[in-house]
Amino acid sequence: MEYTYIAPCLFGLESILSGELKRLDAGNVRASDGKVEFTGDLSMLARANLNLRTAERVLIKLGEFDAHTFTELFDGVRALPFEEFIGRQDAFPVKGYSIHSALHSIPDCQKIIKKAAVERLKETYGINWFEETGPVHQIQFSILKDRATILLDTSGAGLHKRGYRKNANEAPIKETLAAGMLDLAFVKKDSQLIDPFCGSGTILIEGALRALNIPAGIGRTFAAEKWASVPARIWKEERARGLDLVRRDAKFMAFGSDIDHNAFELTLDNARKAGVAERIRVRTRDVKEFTVPETPSIVVTNPPYGERLLDTETARAIEKTMGKVFRRGTTGYYIISPDEEFESYFGRKANKTRRLYNGMLRCNFYMFYGDRPPRTDR
């Protein structure tokens, strides 16, 4: 049976996520602001959770309808096939949001949706009380301009939580954003990746996972793994499929440095947890000491800046230093920053910029190509 899914993502990553889904053979891929909708069977549910690098989670879209009143909301929810996924002992909490809609009270919407789901399941199972002691089936709702969408969360913890980053330095970059940046930088299986502000190693580790084609979620579990409605064999088959596609012959290597001596151990510890420690080298070094490698390389980095760790004056002094040491040549430089004047302090215009969001912070991703244009093949 085919289902409709929604994968939310950080703003700016919609086209990248769409590309990921198409490569996974998802059907009817359609992007809109902050999310991508697609279709597939239950195997696609598991495949998407295990493999997507830029999605925040994978949701089953149960239905969509207009809801100007609580009666319309109740009737619309009650008509949805919750019993296809929720068993008589399963838990089904409700959460969501409402924007620019007549039904603006979130607690009241939660109560109505919960009541409607209970009434539907009471009729299906012929019982009046639900213990909700079984696996969690999180119901999510969004009401935007009086249009209600009802979903089931299959992921549980957000997909950015890969399972390897137990330890992090201050203000680490989100794994899903790092993955999107690496896609835009065309990191491939034979790339040499460098991050001179590596922190806890997120960019380096995500680069290694991408280059080796290791499934992003292979080291964690998902909410729907506990659901009786999704056969265990599907998860087993999709995990095996993902591991079969790992590029063990990849020549990829990553090199990180940071002025913070704690970054050395943080990065290596996280890389070991991710299973890519042999592909990563780290050392303590100020960016002033950066030298352009002889081998064509890709620098992808998230330098400290005013809104995050430093005052603006200090952050811009670092930008000037980067402009001096990140010399032109066969190395490409890919830098995320919220500073709209970054190019001025860096000392040259980027070949291309892309608007991205680091959490709620609006940033630009500045792309400075090397002498050799980036290859777009994978």
Side-chain angles (χ1 to χ4, degrees), residues 21-220:
L21 283 161
K22 289 173 183 176
R23 291 191 291 276
L24 292 178
D25 297 325
N28 303 306
V29 177
R30 184 168 60 89
S32 55
D33 288 345
K35 64 183 180 182
V36 179
E37 188 171 301
F38 61 103
T39 59
D41 57 13
L42 290 178
S43 291
M44 182 54 63
L45 180 158
R47 187 178 305 169
N49 272 297
L50 284 163
N51 291 280
L52 291 177
R53 303 186 190 281
T54 57
E56 294 302 312
R57 56 185 64 249
V58 176
L59 306 160
I60 299 170
K61 183 178 177 182
L62 292 177
E64 188 175 14
F65 51 88
D66 290 330
H68 300 86
T69 67
F70 285 125
T71 298
E72 289 179 339
L73 181 62
F74 180 89
D75 291 343
V77 172
R78 196 176 189 280
L80 300 178
F82 290 101
E83 65 277 4
E84 289 186 18
F85 299 97
I86 301 174
R88 61 177 63 220
Q89 292 182 322
D90 293 336
F92 49 105
V94 178
K95 66 179 181 180
Y97 64 88
S98 177
I99 300 174
H100 304 310
S101 299
L103 303 178
H104 53 80
S105 171
I106 303 303
D108 286 341
C109 290
Q110 286 176 300
K111 291 175 184 176
I112 292 295
I113 292 170
K114 181 73 173 186
K115 182 179 179 181
V118 167
E119 290 301 314
R120 171 80 183 205
L121 293 171
K122 281 170 62 176
E123 182 180 333
T124 299
Y125 295 120
I127 57 177
N128 292 317
W129 177 256
F130 292 89
E131 295 180 1
E132 299 197 48
T133 56
V136 174
H137 294 60
Q138 178 69 62
I139 298 173
Q140 292 197 16
F141 69 89
S142 67
I143 307 176
L144 179 61
K145 296 181 180 179
D146 300 313
R147 186 72 176 170
T149 305
I150 310 299
L151 312 120
L152 278 182
D153 177 18
T154 73
S155 301
L159 294 183
H160 71 281
K161 295 184 178 181
R162 317 288 205 214
Y164 65 75
R165 198 170 72 180
K166 304 297 184 184
N167 303 304
N169 62 343
E170 192 175 357
I173 193 169
K174 203 171 187 180
E175 293 88 337
T176 45
L177 176 58
M181 291 161 55
L182 292 158
D183 188 285
L184 291 169
F186 299 107
V187 170
K188 303 174 293 298
K189 66 176 183 179
D190 58 350
S191 296
Q192 178 168 287
L193 174 66
I194 300 172
D195 182 1
F197 300 96
C198 69
S200 54
T202 304
I203 290 174
L204 303 175
I205 294 167
E206 289 295 319
L209 294 175
R210 171 187 170 84
L212 275 63
N213 203 36
I214 297 172
I218 200 67
R220 55 161 287 177

